[in-house]
Amino acid sequence: MSKKVNYKKSKKSKFFEIGKIKITKDALISIIIIAILIIIYALSPRYYLVTTGLYNQSTKENQQNVETAMGKENTEERFRLYFQWYNVIHELGHGLMYYNDGIDISVVEEEQLVNDFAVAYWKYYGEEEKVQELESIVNYAVEHIGDNYKNGIDYMELGKKNSNERSFYKSFFNFNDYGWFQFSSVKNSFVTNKSLENVLEEMGFNDFKIGNKKSLVYQNINEETSTKIINDAVKNFNDWGLEFPQVIHHFDKDPNNNYSRSVIKYLGFFEIPDFSYVFSS
């Protein structure tokens, strides 16, 4: 026979009694409110947030850094091609691994893998002219950012030396080192030339089916088309049989701010971190 739980409010005090445990009214109310908030959090829809930096609204110093990396001719067009066309697919690659239980690897190795993915994606779906221009951009950048290239430093060793899973972006995030690491990684993706199917398998996916090869043509790369590129990619992911939620796309005046994360649309209005994603990356 189960023991009856004694739950009563004492007439002589402000305590509630739950069995042998006494708790104040205010504490009980707080516990109930916290429980409700946790339930709302658990049931709130999950979105993937992609933030893309802008060149034309940035400071003169940041624009000069971009010019160093991409050259002084057609700088903004080259910036848009890299960050608003190519890099948004790189960011979605991180999300694909998270939402589909991809392989568990170090943050440095994941950066290389999602660059392999983004290059393979655009070789499968992109216009040949844009793919060639992208390769030209990264080759130029690798040789013009900082002194790492001149000193013969290996970009993966640099990444591993300056990072771990908890402090990668804080300890390693500066224009010369992190920028050079990323461009070098993309350059390596062109060298290895992996197929889209092989990269997806390396990411840990087995149950997917890529459709017929086609070209996604975007005449002018800007903020509006960048968001469309993301939405088109998510549709492709779903068509492959892979999971991906709706994407929120923000823009930032700082051209260095290009990142992504999973968020919860709390109460339908507030974007707060999806802590399961934060703690797993």
Side-chain angles (χ1 to χ4, degrees):
M1 181 180 294
S2 61
K3 185 177 180 180
K4 185 177 180 180
V5 176
N6 179 25
Y7 176 81
K8 64 181 180 178
K9 181 180 181 181
S10 172
K11 293 180 180 180
K12 297 181 180 180
S13 69
K14 296 181 180 180
F15 286 92
F16 283 84
E17 296 181 6
I18 304 176
K20 294 182 179 181
I21 301 174
K22 288 185 177 182
I23 187 169
T24 65
K25 178 182 178 181
D26 289 343
L28 181 62
I29 292 173
S30 297
I31 291 172
I32 292 173
I33 291 174
I34 292 172
I36 292 172
L37 293 176
I38 291 174
I39 292 171
I40 293 173
Y41 175 86
L43 297 178
S44 294
R46 181 183 293 178
Y47 293 79
Y48 196 62
L49 172 66
V50 175
T51 297
T52 301
L54 298 173
Y55 171 84
N56 57 358
Q57 297 183 33
S58 63
T59 64
K60 186 65 176 177
E61 179 182 358
N62 281 330
Q63 288 183 349
Q64 289 174 345
N65 285 337
V66 174
E67 289 178 3
T68 298
M70 298 186 171
K72 294 184 178 181
E73 293 186 9
N74 303 318
T75 307
E76 184 171 359
E77 288 78 5
R78 290 162 72 85
F79 178 90
R80 288 180 179 275
L81 181 69
Y82 186 88
F83 287 103
Q84 297 180 2
W85 182 77
Y86 169 78
N87 196 68
V88 292
I89 302 300
H90 166 107
E91 300 300 343
L92 294 180
H94 287 295
L96 267 180
M97 294 186 68
Y98 171 61
Y99 294 115
N100 295 275
D101 297 322
I103 61 172
D104 185 15
I105 54 178
S106 73
V107 64
V108 178
E109 292 170 321
E110 183 173 325
E111 289 298 329
Q112 180 63 69
L113 190 52
V114 296
N115 276 322
D116 290 345
F117 167 75
V119 168
Y121 177 92
W122 281 123
K123 284 187 175 182
Y124 198 82
Y125 290 107
E127 304 157 75
E128 181 62 29
E129 295 81 3
K130 285 185 172 63
V131 174
Q132 291 178 357
E133 179 64 16
L134 174 68
E135 186 172 15
S136 171
I137 290 170
V138 298
N139 286 338
Y140 181 93
V142 166
E143 297 182 14
H144 287 82
I145 298 179
D147 296 321
N148 292 308
Y149 179 78
K150 297 176 183 178
N151 295 334
I153 297 173
D154 180 81
Y155 73 98
M156 287 295 284
E157 289 303 317
L158 178 68
K160 292 174 182 177
K161 177 181 177 181
N162 289 277
S163 65
N164 58 56
E165 291 189 2
R166 297 297 177 216
S167 64
F168 181 66
Y169 302 104
K170 288 185 178 180
S171 67
F172 193 35
F173 192 86
N174 63 74
F175 181 78
N176 283 341
D177 287 341
Y178 187 71
W180 183 77
F181 166 82
Q182 281 290 358
F183 286 119
S184 297
S185 176
V186 180
K187 179 178 179 178
N188 184 70
S189 297
F190 273 102
V191 172
T192 56
N193 195 29
K194 299 175 183 177
S195 71
L196 181 57
E197 185 173 7
N198 285 342
V199 175
L200 289 171
E201 290 173 350
E202 287 186 24
M203 294 170 85
F205 312 140
N206 297 310
D207 189 15
F208 65 87
K209 184 178 181 180
I210 300 175
N212 294 330
K213 188 173 183 178
K214 59 183 178 181
S215 181
L216 297 174
V217 179
Y218 304 98
Q219 297 296 342
N220 298 306
I221 306 301
N222 53 39
E223 287 76 14
E224 183 178 348
T225 54
S226 185
T227 301
K228 182 174 179 2
I229 288 166
I230 290 173
N231 294 334
D232 289 344
V234 172
K235 183 180 183 303
N236 283 332
F237 302 162
N238 295 153
D239 289 343
W240 299 347
L242 297 176
E243 297 290 331
F244 213 96
Q246 185 176 340
V247 176
I248 302 169
H249 192 195
H250 291 330
F251 294 92
D252 194 290
K253 292 182 180 180
D254 187 341
N256 295 302
N257 284 343
N258 298 276
Y259 61 89
S260 57
R261 64 187 180 193
S262 184
V263 297
I264 299 293
K265 207 69 175 291
Y266 197 68
L267 298 174
F269 298 100
F270 307 106
E271 295 172 12
I272 63 176
D274 174 5
F275 291 107
S276 64
Y277 179 83
V278 171
F279 294 142
S280 67
S281 62

